[in-house]
Amino acid sequence: MQHKHRALLKMLVTIVDRGKGAAAVSLYRGQGLHFDYLCMGLGTANSKILDYFGLSETEKDVVITLAPAPRIKSVIETADARFHFSSPGRGILFTVPLSGVSGQVPQVLCKEQEPPEGGKEESGMNTASGYALVLAVVNRGSLDTVMDAARSEGARGGTVLHARRVGMDDTENLLGFTLQPEKEVVAILTPEAQKHAIMVAINRAAGLTTEAGGILFSLPVEDLTGLQPPVAQEE
């Protein structure tokens, strides 16, 4: 594991309507990015919220890509020109900083990378986004419980991925109760100011000691584009 490359690479997350993920992968490949992972997701926002959350459909493609930090700005600009993330309803794109990566990855992605004129590397676009990504890993069927709790503290929506837990025996013995293997990973983009309250609410309703058996954590979000500002609430 190479920690010295942590500032050189970021994880680029692209959330688009179902069927557009392959086009995003093709675009990133054309940019020389060769580590792409396409997942099938499901948006959780209701029809009213979809309009200003920047989502036009509930079925989603989630593309996870590794990209050199100095190239993030140009990659996002190219993706925005293709998918129009800055327009409502076209999707969301953001980056997550990495604290470590296997040594061969930077050798591939950062090969032949030259800094821009002036000798200084670009740090990205709107790096300090003011948002965080809250992830709740819960038992299958607990999505509504998570989102009801999150919305009670101002969350507008999220994306859910289906997963399956592996290596369960040791954890079950340690905790003293059974964990279901089928999981839902609920990802919620939220302003930093709301993150703690949302996580507390989700943990109260769907935490590890509840039927949902949830585990929560959050990640910093950078280079955010495509998330529309909330509309004023009707009285």
Side-chain angles (χ1 to χ4, degrees), residues 103-136:
Q104 292 80 5
V105 174
Q107 294 175 19
V108 174
L109 292 181
C110 299
K111 185 179 181 180
E112 299 178 356
Q113 294 297 315
E114 296 292 340
E117 293 184 7
K120 296 182 179 180
E121 295 182 345
E122 299 177 12
S123 60
M125 185 170 67
N126 297 326
T127 296
S129 70
Y131 276 74
L133 182 67
V134 173
L135 296 175

Side-chain angles (χ1 to χ4, degrees), residues 41 49 79 96 101 157-158 199 210:
I49 292 177
V96 175
V101 65
M199 294 184 71
T210 70

Side-chain angles (χ1 to χ4, degrees), residues 99-180:
S99 60
V101 65
S102 57
Q104 292 80 5
V105 174
Q107 294 175 19
V108 174
L109 292 181
C110 299
K111 185 179 181 180
E112 299 178 356
Q113 294 297 315
E114 296 292 340
E117 293 184 7
K120 296 182 179 180
E121 295 182 345
E122 299 177 12
S123 60
M125 185 170 67
N126 297 326
T127 296
S129 70
Y131 276 74
L133 182 67
V134 173
L135 296 175
V137 184
V138 295
N139 293 333
R140 187 72 58 88
S142 303
L143 173 61
D144 289 342
T145 301
V146 172
M147 290 311 305
D148 287 346
R151 289 191 181 106
S152 72
E153 295 295 340
R156 293 182 282 158
T159 302
V160 59
L161 301 175
H162 296 304
R164 181 176 178 83
R165 182 178 174 84
V166 296
M168 297 176 58
D169 294 340
D170 292 342
T171 305
E172 288 184 2
N173 293 334
L174 178 64
L175 296 174
F177 51 85
T178 301
L179 299 175
Q180 296 180 16

Side-chain angles (χ1 to χ4, degrees), residues 5-72:
H5 294 294
R6 61 188 178 187
L8 296 180
L9 294 175
K10 292 185 178 184
M11 182 172 70
L12 182 67
V13 180
T14 308
I15 304 176
V16 291
D17 290 336
R18 181 65 54 80
K20 295 183 178 180
V25 170
S26 178
L27 183 146
Y28 295 141
R29 292 289 175 88
Q31 294 289 305
L33 307 179
H34 301 287
F35 294 89
D36 303 289
Y37 307 92
L38 176 61
C39 309
M40 302 302 176
L42 184 68
T44 65
N46 59 41
S47 58
K48 181 179 179 180
I49 292 177
L50 286 173
D51 293 337
Y52 67 82
F53 188 58
L55 306 173
S56 59
E57 297 179 6
T58 57
E59 291 189 331
K60 299 295 167 186
D61 284 346
V62 180
V63 181
I64 299 174
T65 307
L66 299 182
R71 295 191 53 211
I72 289 293

